[in-house]
Amino acid sequence: MNAPADTDLDADGRVSQQLVDAYRQDGFVRVRGVLDQGEIERFRAAAEDYLETHRAESLETGATFSQLVNVWRRDPTLRDLTLDRRLGRIAERLAGFPLRLWHDQMLVKEPHSDTATEFHQDRPYWPHAGDRLPLSAWIALVDVPPERGCMTFLPGTQHRTGLRSQDLHDAEDLFAADPSLRWAPRVTLPLRAGDCTFHSGYTGHMALPNRTGTARLAHVTIYIDADTAYSGAAHPVTDGLGLTPGSRLDGEDFPRPWA
Ligand code: SIN
Ligand code: NI
């Protein structure tokens, strides 16, 4: 990857200590310019093709978004993005400990879809145990202003562990689970194509509807503590792998190529 001009990365592809501190304080951070123009075009074209062929396989069947999981296993171009060593190393620097891939997902809000992804935390959905704070890189493959469905975060909520999982179709559900969050500050982060946000698995977040005529294409790579164990709960990524509860999520299904 070659860094473009408008980037938060230094010549070695690293983020500043200031951004690391911001992530640790807020539970999210925007990193501009993680992809250069050539990469944006290559990955966007691959994502559009993949969506065309696989849209019907979306895990989410409502209007919120199309959700295509583990595209890295099936598309050699998008595999390069998911397993990108520079992104993986940035994620490890933000986290402060070794990470492995949990899964990736293409999250597409179709043009004029008009449905928000409502406030939720990610980690309560996952069958994980014994882990430190996971985090997701949400990479914009098109410009994502608020009207195309960028994300809004609740700073500091990465410390709010222990909540039940929340319904991302219900605008009230996170606040029903924890009424103290209802009046928390909200930060909305527009992204240019090639920018990304990192957010922790407990940081409350939502995404606005896509009211534009252009699909909102986001590629999300989710990183977990390299020592994460399988809890035994059901999940589409682990169902059928024959895992024993308590065993570590590792091996070729959960790689760490940036190590
Ligand atoms: C979205 O992109 O619509 C939601 C992303 C997320 O919940 O992590
Ligand atoms: Ni989420």
Side-chain angles (χ1 to χ4, degrees), residues 8-21:
D8 289 315
L9 305 186
D10 68 15
D12 297 321
R14 288 163 56 94
V15 290
S16 66
Q17 186 60 42
Q18 199 182 354
L19 290 190
V20 175
D21 292 345

Side-chain angles (χ1 to χ4, degrees), residues 17-124:
Q17 186 60 42
Q18 199 182 354
L19 290 190
V20 175
D21 292 345
Y23 171 75
R24 301 265 175 92
Q25 175 167 317
D26 295 333
F28 66 89
V29 71
R30 178 172 64 182
V31 183
R32 293 170 307 155
V34 296
L35 304 182
D36 67 25
Q37 200 52 43
E39 291 163 337
I40 293 166
E41 283 161 23
R42 176 169 173 249
F43 294 134
R44 182 194 295 152
E48 284 169 350
D49 286 353
Y50 193 89
L51 179 67
E52 230 18 68
T53 316
H54 297 280
R55 190 183 261 110
E57 297 158 27
S58 174
L59 287 187
E60 164 75 28
T61 50
T64 309
F65 45 50
S66 295
Q67 180 185 22
L68 301 172
V69 170
N70 272 342
V71 302
W72 69 279
R73 293 175 193 234
R74 301 171 74 181
D75 186 281
T77 303
L78 296 170
R79 178 186 180 90
D80 287 349
L81 178 53
T82 298
L83 301 186
D84 183 77
R85 287 171 168 69
R86 192 168 67 172
L87 278 166
R89 288 191 195 113
I90 294 169
E92 285 199 339
R93 181 158 150 77
L94 295 174
F97 49 82
L99 299 170
R100 62 180 68 255
L101 178 69
W102 164 224
H103 65 81
D104 67 10
Q105 54 189 354
M106 191 185 295
L107 292 182
V108 182
K109 284 189 184 287
E110 303 287 351
H112 308 295
S113 56
D114 219 32
T115 306
T117 313
E118 304 293 359
F119 274 110
H120 64 278
Q121 300 171 304
D122 295 332
R123 171 63 177 76

Side-chain angles (χ1 to χ4, degrees), residues 120-122 125 168 199 205:
H120 64 278
Q121 300 171 304
D122 295 332
Y125 301 135
L168 55 72
H199 69 272
H205 59 281

Side-chain angles (χ1 to χ4, degrees), residues 175-190:
F175 307 113
D178 184 349
S180 75
L181 300 182
R182 185 177 295 280
W183 297 101
R186 303 179 181 193
V187 177
T188 297
L189 290 177

